[in-house]
Amino acid sequence: MTIIAYYVGKVLWIVVWVLVLIWCIAAAHSDAETPFACPNCGGVFHAKWYRLLGVRKLRLVMHGNIKLKCPRCGKTDLCRWKHGGAE
């Protein structure tokens, strides 16, 4: 393997990881626009997009809840994602 092929491979992996990171940030921004409801106080709030970066999209869509801290009551619990205006 030549040195040029080695560096081309490295650059391609870097480009792929940057595109994956951009996709994850875009998905978190999109999910943050939908409100969440606290099970303790019933407060409805929007999560910060960076809080949703580590959330698996499948869990959010399938189960509809993730662990967040409610800004109203201050408790951390499984808050319901109010996607599509349901509930």
Side-chain angles (χ1 to χ4, degrees), residues 64-79:
N65 55 16
I66 57 171
K67 197 172 214 176
L68 292 171
K69 184 176 181 179
C70 177
R72 187 172 168 193
C73 66
K75 293 184 180 176
T76 302
D77 205 348
L78 289 175
C79 296

Side-chain angles (χ1 to χ4, degrees), residues 6-80:
Y6 173 78
Y7 284 112
V8 167
K10 292 287 185 183
V11 168
L12 285 176
W13 274 111
I14 290 170
V15 168
V16 166
W17 281 109
V18 166
L19 290 175
V20 167
L21 181 63
I22 290 171
W23 179 78
C24 289
I25 291 172
H29 271 282
S30 174
D31 293 340
E33 293 174 2
T34 306
F36 289 86
C38 177
N40 298 310
C41 68
V44 177
F45 63 96
H46 291 273
K48 301 289 184 189
W49 68 270
Y50 52 84
R51 298 276 184 215
L52 301 176
L53 271 179
V55 174
R56 286 179 270 151
K57 183 74 172 177
L58 184 62
R59 175 177 170 72
L60 188 59
V61 172
M62 295 286 289
H63 301 290
N65 55 16
I66 57 171
K67 197 172 214 176
L68 292 171
K69 184 176 181 179
C70 177
R72 187 172 168 193
C73 66
K75 293 184 180 176
T76 302
D77 205 348
L78 289 175
C79 296
R80 187 98 182 124

